[in-house]
Amino acid sequence: MKRFAFFLILLTTVACTRHPEPIGPVPTQQQLEWQRLETYAFIHFGLNTFNDMEWGYGDTPAETFNPSDLDCEQWVLTLKACGMKGVILTAKHHDGFCLWPTETTDYSIKNSPYKNGQGDVVGELCEACRKHGLLFGVYLSPWDRHQASYGTEEYVELYHRQIQELVDHYGPFFEFWFDGANGGNGWYGGANETRSIKAEEYYQYETARDIIWSKYPNTMIFGGTVPTLRWIGNEEGIAKATQWCNYTLDFGDLNNTKLLATGIPDGEHWLPAEVDVSIRPGWFYHENEQPKSLEQLLDIYYHSVGRNASLLLNFPVALNGKISPEDSLRAVEWYQTLQQTFTNNLLEGLQPTVHDEGVHPEWVYTFHNPTEVSHVVLEEDVLFGQHVERFSVSYYRNGKWLPVETDDEMTTIGFKRIIRFKPATMEKLRIRIIKTKAPVTFYRVSAY
Ligand code: FUL
């Protein structure tokens, strides 16, 4: 509603003068609210942490889970200090070890020395999130290398019961993660064999989703056959310059990393992308690994949030049960750099001249004095769909129009697109639409 009102105010200024109609897929309210979060965190923590592994086989003893100083409030406060709006915890990774005292298996925190088996990391994090105002989500690996029943109907029932327990005892969840990995081999109750399943049928994802939505209908769903958002197709932290929220919900297409990377311009559904990447090389903590540099993290931001995708940044919790100081310092430095960059919108209060008659509509902003600019942020009003296919950014200085200097390709815009360029002092700034599928409605245009 608010967004609508804002649109009406902007109508005579930055938006097209034609009355727009939604064309093509548009987000649901739930998707739109989720897209507005922009950055949120992953926590990978579990038996792998204590055994220096990424993919536990399913036979690592539960007793090895032994954090000396676990503090979920430290996680939450750290994540808030680096601008994260929510956190998704690996309640169960592929090894099958559960971080809550589940009734479905003995392979859980109940049989670990942590709080003498009385601990509950899912509950503790959920509580800390509630206390400090951070959204909460869970990752529950469908693939389970521990369970003897894995591959049979019995396991699917167990998996659904695990979802039910999480829904009954924790929540609300802003996002629920069904990981796509199904490596085949595992311990499986001592069978030590390779088992393959047809993921699109086996896990009965519609039932899984219904269990979640029966209590928390606003939960965004990652993975499976009925997702409300999509994987970007890589774990490097990179969305492409051309990035559509439009997609077709077909299991084949949901596994096609090429299509996942760009979206499908004529796709039938709104399926916005999420970029998941770890602050360190691994998802789980390994003593010899270091966090990414500030420059790498900034690139990740510009290549995710700056390219019409959400950023899910992973923090591997260390053996003591805390986010390590190297990671938190780096992430806070990163957030503060972004805050400084994007505080002062140089277009604030400037009315653009809009020419939307010809083939190439354009928006021209005239500064009161020559102004140095290095970033332009464009946001389509996605309630009318995502339309722009190509655009340009130029500036006027000493009687000439010049293109801004950047390697970035100016193709799609979508929910948010940030163009970073060599700082240029300008008298005017011009955004021109070169190719679009439908009349363009900007939600906001800003410059820094
Ligand atoms: C992948 C998993 O196999 C990794 O271990 C990690 O959890 C990542 C986020 O998803 O599919």
Side-chain angles (χ1 to χ4, degrees):
M1 230 20 232
K2 240 187 174 166
R3 199 175 166 94
F4 234 90
F6 190 58
F7 164 72
L8 289 175
I9 296 164
L10 285 186
L11 195 61
T12 49
T13 59
V14 297
C16 265
T17 46
R18 278 163 289 217
H19 187 71
E21 293 276 331
I23 296 177
V26 293
T28 60
Q29 187 61 29
Q30 169 200 55
Q31 287 172 319
L32 193 58
E33 278 168 25
W34 173 87
Q35 284 187 276
R36 286 187 187 135
L37 303 176
E38 298 191 353
T39 56
Y40 44 88
F42 233 163
I43 295 270
H44 275 66
F45 186 54
L47 279 183
N48 290 340
T49 312
F50 298 89
N51 294 278
D52 208 8
M53 287 194 227
E54 279 291 312
W55 273 18
Y57 189 64
D59 60 348
T60 316
E63 299 80 62
T64 56
F65 182 84
N66 193 13
S68 52
D69 208 6
L70 193 148
D71 183 356
C72 290
E73 283 198 55
Q74 186 260 356
W75 307 356
V76 169
L77 294 174
T78 303
L79 299 177
K80 287 197 74 170
C82 51
M84 299 290 146
K85 304 293 181 343
V87 58
I88 301 175
L89 170 69
T90 51
K92 177 181 89 166
H93 203 253
H94 312 324
D95 61 9
F97 181 77
C98 297
L99 289 182
W100 79 101
T102 174
E103 297 293 319
T104 60
T105 173
D106 289 338
Y107 201 48
S108 85
I109 196 160
K110 266 202 235 174
N111 287 308
S112 81
Y114 176 59
K115 293 191 174 169
N116 294 316
Q118 303 299 306
D120 175 359
V121 182
V122 178
E124 288 161 37
L125 181 58
C126 182
E127 191 46 44
C129 283
R130 196 169 300 147
K131 182 165 167 195
H132 297 288
L134 197 71
L135 297 171
F136 178 63
V138 284
Y139 166 119
L140 190 73
S141 171
W143 183 32
D144 190 319
R145 305 174 96 186
H146 179 80
Q147 290 301 324
S149 63
Y150 183 81
T152 68
E153 200 45 38
E154 197 191 326
Y155 170 74
V156 181
E157 281 164 25
L158 176 143
Y159 185 62
H160 289 174
R161 269 190 286 130
Q162 294 186 332
I163 299 172
Q164 186 70 59
E165 283 186 359
L166 293 170
V167 167
D168 287 345
H169 301 292
Y170 317 101
F173 309 108
F174 79 100
E175 184 171 327
F176 208 105
W177 241 75
F178 297 127
D179 193 279
N182 266 292
N185 68 334
W187 183 68
Y188 305 128
N192 291 306
E193 59 189 15
T194 296
R195 295 182 181 173
S196 57
I197 49 91
K198 247 185 147 183
E200 69 272 37
E201 288 159 23
Y202 181 60
Y203 297 114
Q204 299 170 34
Y205 281 116
E206 290 186 25
T207 306
R209 179 214 42 205
D210 291 348
I211 299 171
I212 301 164
W213 281 3
S214 66
K215 186 160 174 198
Y216 298 121
N218 290 327
T219 310
M220 288 287 286
I221 308 285
F222 176 98
T225 52
V226 280
T228 55
L229 67 122
R230 68 173 214 273
W231 184 40
I232 197 65
N234 69 76
E235 292 178 343
E236 320 306 316
I238 300 171
K240 294 231 155 95
T242 302
Q243 224 282 91
W244 294 91
C245 289
N246 304 352
Y247 210 76
T248 300
L249 266 175
D250 170 281
F251 194 73
D253 287 351
L254 284 168
N255 283 310
N256 181 331
T257 48
K258 237 177 132 184
L259 290 180
L260 287 166
T262 56
I264 304 175
D266 297 318
E268 289 160 48
H269 308 102
W270 189 264
L271 204 65
E274 176 182 86
V275 168
D276 63 320
V277 61
S278 186
I279 194 165
R280 292 182 175 224
W283 293 99
F284 286 91
Y285 181 85
H286 308 287
E287 217 185 332
N288 57 354
E289 291 185 353
Q290 287 304 313
K292 294 186 163 67
S293 68
L294 176 62
E295 282 64 37
Q296 284 173 308
L297 288 181
L298 287 171
D299 280 348
I300 285 174
Y301 179 83
Y302 288 111
H303 292 156
S304 54
V305 175
R307 286 182 170 175
N308 191 28
S310 301
L311 172 59
L312 171 54
L313 182 63
N314 179 63
F315 292 79
V317 163
L319 280 84
N320 63 357
K322 291 191 167 142
I323 294 177
S324 62
E326 298 91 329
D327 297 11
S328 53
L329 285 173
R330 183 60 42 79
V332 168
E333 188 188 10
W334 166 78
Y335 178 58
Q336 287 175 350
T337 307
L338 291 171
Q339 288 286 94
Q340 277 159 17
T341 308
F342 295 106
T343 329
N344 183 20
N345 174 14
L346 300 166
L347 303 185
E348 190 75 51
L350 297 183
Q351 297 290 334
T353 315
V354 183
H355 305 278
D356 67 346
E357 303 295 284
V359 244
H360 298 314
E362 61 182 39
W363 283 256
V364 178
Y365 292 84
T366 305
F367 293 103
H368 298 305
N369 299 303
T371 303
E372 190 181 85
V373 182
S374 56
H375 296 73
V376 165
V377 183
L378 302 173
E379 296 165 69
E380 279 186 73
D381 194 328
V382 293
L383 285 176
F384 300 100
Q386 182 181 344
H387 303 310
V388 178
E389 294 171 280
R390 185 166 286 282
F391 64 99
S392 68
V393 179
S394 329
Y395 66 98
Y396 188 80
R397 181 83 219 254
N398 298 332
K400 294 204 286 264
W401 282 104
L402 295 165
V404 294
E405 274 184 61
T406 175
D407 292 339
D408 210 352
E409 258 192 285
M410 297 189 217
T411 50
T412 56
I413 297 179
F415 181 78
K416 187 179 241 188
R417 184 67 200 276
I418 307 176
I419 300 294
R420 250 191 310 180
F421 48 90
K422 194 171 156 212
T425 302
M426 54 187 75
E427 294 156 38
K428 296 177 191 201
L429 174 71
R430 182 176 71 197
I431 317 298
R432 186 178 269 175
I433 307 300
I434 314 286
K435 194 163 180 240
T436 182
K437 290 164 63 160
V440 182
T441 311
F442 279 123
Y443 175 62
R444 187 160 39 212
V445 175
S446 40
Y448 302 88

